[in-house]
Amino acid sequence: MRSLIDIVDLSVEEITELIDTANDIIANPEKYCEKCRHKKLATLFFEPSTRTRLSFEAAMLELGGNVIGFSAANNSSAAKGESVSDTVRTVGCYADIIAMRHPKEGAPMIASMRSPVPIINAGDGGHNHPTQTLADLLTIQREKGRFDHLTVGLCGDLKFGRTVHSLIHALSRYEGVHFVMISPEELRVPEYMIQEMQKNGISYEETRSLEEVMPQLDILYMTRVQRERFFNEADYIRLKDSYILTLDKLETAKKDLCVMHPLPRVNEISVAVDDDPRACYFKQVSNGKYIRMALILKLLEVE
Amino acid sequence: MKIDSITNGVVIDHILAGKGMELYHFLHLDSMDCSIALIKNAPSQKMGKKDIIKVDTALDLDLDILGYVDPGVTVNIIRDGVLIEKFHPQLPEKLTNIIQCKNPRCITSVEQEIPHIFKLTDREHGTYRCIYCESKAKE
């Protein structure tokens, strides 16, 4: 029985396989609409995230399956003090697969050690969010047709932004990828990741200025400066508007740049950018559902 | 200072001066009822000063703890008054319930029954990370 806790749990071959399945679902949705008949997905969201939860639920429904679950810890027995282990053991008796979001880092890993059914990490604090990364990878593959030899700009909160960390891990496995990390000093990529990149010979540069590096980028991955990751409100207010993407800034960008964002956005991408053909963030949302469908099929071992 | 040599037991030598008491506690030697000597600040040609622990009984040492707390120590195993084994413990690959994760966002901070497990991620720098949240172990 497999779970997905961290994107690096999946080999490059498995990611390719998931992307192939997702592309086939997009091309032939009718082939898949009964694949999970009589199967149940439980969405255990100890921390609210409407978009990710709905994406998982839509994915299971489009596979012909059913969904159960809760969308906040105060609606669950966690509010009474039940451990994650006990919750998944219990829910594992009702559901065939579990998607879990939890505010504490490592909670889905504990769950996977105890659960009788596969666990999908739907986000654990500021740590991992592998299905977002899968959605990002599917988007890059569909927009660029490849993962190798890309210059990937990562902009905004690179310290707490778990989607950025997972994406770096995932793309580091392909040849010729160059990362351009654009952030204020306070929100730089954590030191341990820099050390890891150096050790593995990954090509990267760090900069404070988005404008300076814009012309060289193939992909620009914007992130939100998240209020909930700060201990201190004053720091949040000071940094939240640091990096905002506007049409003006896009003028020097490549014509086939792919602008991505894990969403929700606050104001880091101007609404005017939405109509630019380079804006890919709503495609990412749609791709997220398809790659989750592919993942559910894989973990449930549905042929 | 004179401390008798032991017949059956373990001598942990070359402990960094000042670390002896820490090792004594980590190895739970306080709960044993055999003769135990903790020598602090013994003169050493190599180290200047060192701590030494002598335990006068054959015991199963938790080498993981030894390697983690002070990887520079020398362990001497004595049987019938003869030195039968001498070695330097290595940094262990995994530490279970030896150190605690200090990350307030880690699941171990709220669920008490979970074992605190750390993995060695960089032998050269002796870096350990929590297997759940991947935070670095604090010195």
Side-chain angles (χ1 to χ4, degrees):
Chain A
M1 186 194 77
R2 282 285 298 274
S3 288
L4 177 63
I5 304 305
D6 188 330
I7 190 69
V8 295
D9 296 346
L10 294 170
S11 66
V12 169
E13 292 73 25
E14 285 175 315
I15 287 176
T16 306
E17 178 199 323
L18 285 171
I19 286 176
D20 289 348
T21 307
N23 279 325
D24 194 48
I25 295 171
I26 294 169
N28 310 290
E30 70 290 345
K31 244 172 75 182
Y32 294 87
C33 65
E34 294 284 326
K35 289 277 188 193
C36 287
R37 211 170 135 78
H38 305 306
K39 301 271 188 198
K40 285 193 289 291
L41 163 78
T43 50
L44 308 187
F45 277 56
F46 294 85
E47 178 182 65
S49 170
T50 312
R51 156 185 335 267
T52 306
R53 184 172 54 84
L54 293 183
S55 178
F56 271 108
E57 294 186 356
M60 191 54 165
L61 293 172
E62 287 196 25
L63 290 167
N66 295 300
V67 293
I68 54 174
F70 54 82
S71 56
N74 57 8
N75 293 338
S76 78
S77 48
K80 298 175 195 159
E82 187 181 50
S83 69
V84 168
S85 307
D86 284 4
T87 303
V88 296
R89 273 185 199 150
T90 308
V91 175
C93 301
Y94 308 139
D96 301 285
I97 185 164
I98 295 172
M100 175 195 269
R101 167 162 298 200
H102 200 286
K104 292 292 178 187
E105 300 172 7
M109 180 188 255
I110 291 284
S112 71
M113 291 167 161
R114 306 283 197 274
S115 168
V117 299
I119 299 281
I120 301 173
N121 181 0
D124 57 338
H127 188 215
N128 282 318
H129 192 1
T131 59
Q132 177 66 52
T133 309
L134 287 173
D136 299 342
L137 292 175
L138 178 59
T139 306
I140 293 171
Q141 194 276 333
R142 288 180 68 82
E143 297 302 315
K144 292 283 167 200
R146 66 179 199 279
F147 294 122
D148 53 358
H149 300 94
L150 291 170
T151 299
V152 182
L154 306 160
C155 180
D157 175 3
L158 309 186
K159 183 176 180 184
F160 298 108
R162 60 185 165 201
T163 55
V164 167
H165 303 168
S166 296
L167 189 62
I168 292 174
H169 279 134
L171 286 178
S172 292
R173 301 195 282 189
Y174 299 92
E175 209 179 308
V177 174
H178 177 65
F179 294 101
V180 182
M181 305 189 288
I182 311 143
S183 74
E185 181 64 32
E186 292 88 340
L187 295 177
R188 285 176 59 215
V189 169
E191 198 48 42
Y192 79 89
M193 287 201 67
I194 299 276
Q195 283 172 6
E196 237 177 70
M197 291 169 86
Q198 286 171 345
K199 200 169 128 192
N200 298 325
I202 309 295
S203 166
Y204 75 93
E205 62 188 282
E206 287 188 276
T207 174
R208 307 284 157 260
S209 163
L210 176 58
E211 285 97 325
E212 238 172 58
V213 294
M214 188 66 93
Q216 57 170 309
L217 304 179
D218 297 309
I219 288 162
L220 173 57
Y221 197 95
M222 300 291 298
T223 61
R224 179 165 61 106
V225 176
Q226 295 181 78
R227 184 188 293 264
E228 62 264 34
R229 301 288 167 234
F230 280 84
F231 287 124
N232 181 331
E233 184 75 9
D235 283 351
Y236 167 73
I237 290 168
R238 188 168 55 82
L239 291 169
K240 76 180 168 69
D241 295 338
S242 296
Y243 296 87
I244 295 174
L245 182 65
T246 59
L247 279 177
D248 285 352
K249 286 184 192 157
L250 273 178
E251 270 183 13
T252 60
K254 287 184 182 171
K255 293 289 168 245
D256 63 346
L257 170 73
C258 170
V259 178
M260 299 172 66
H261 191 299
L263 301 183
R265 79 175 142 186
V266 181
N267 61 350
E268 58 278 8
I269 301 180
S270 144
V271 177
V273 175
D274 296 1
D275 297 327
D276 190 292
R278 292 169 286 191
C280 296
Y281 29 94
F282 290 110
K283 291 182 193 168
Q284 256 173 291
V285 177
S286 164
N287 289 335
K289 181 188 69 184
Y290 293 116
I291 202 77
R292 287 181 178 102
M293 289 171 76
L295 180 65
I296 290 169
L297 290 173
K298 179 177 173 62
L299 296 182
L300 285 178
E301 297 174 7
V302 174
E303 289 299 320
Chain B
M1 192 168 69
K2 177 85 178 131
I3 292 173
D4 287 342
S5 53
I6 56 178
T7 317
N8 284 300
V10 179
V11 178
I12 306 169
D13 199 358
H14 303 120
I15 304 170
L16 213 59
K19 281 260 185 191
M21 190 54 96
E22 200 181 327
L23 261 186
Y24 181 88
H25 287 299
F26 266 120
L27 292 169
H28 303 295
L29 297 179
D30 47 342
S31 61
M32 299 186 69
D33 59 1
C34 62
S35 304
I36 296 172
L38 165 60
I39 306 158
K40 293 188 69 171
N41 300 324
S44 160
Q45 277 191 335
K46 204 165 64 176
M47 305 166 71
K49 280 191 299 186
K50 64 179 180 180
D51 290 359
I52 305 168
I53 294 175
K54 292 187 174 191
V55 184
D56 197 8
T57 190
L59 79 165
D60 270 339
L61 275 180
D62 188 337
L63 296 175
D64 284 359
I65 294 177
L66 272 181
Y68 175 70
V69 177
D70 187 353
V73 302
T74 308
V75 180
N76 302 282
I77 310 284
I78 319 283
R79 291 281 179 279
D80 302 321
V82 180
L83 173 69
I84 59 157
E85 201 182 347
K86 181 174 185 163
F87 58 89
H88 301 285
Q90 298 288 309
L91 276 181
E93 285 297 328
K94 200 165 93 171
L95 298 169
T96 303
N97 287 332
I98 292 172
I99 44 173
Q100 304 270 307
C101 185
K102 298 284 197 306
N103 174 10
R105 297 188 180 97
C106 181
I107 184 68
T108 55
S109 71
V110 286
E111 296 206 1
Q112 308 305 323
E113 85 289 356
I114 298 171
H116 286 243
I117 303 174
F118 283 78
K119 248 181 14 195
L120 180 64
T121 54
D122 182 349
R123 185 170 285 281
E124 194 186 334
H125 297 99
T127 308
Y128 283 87
R129 290 188 183 279
C130 171
I131 63 158
Y132 309 108
C133 69
E134 297 179 88
S135 291
K136 201 171 165 181
K138 298 278 186 302
E139 293 299 316

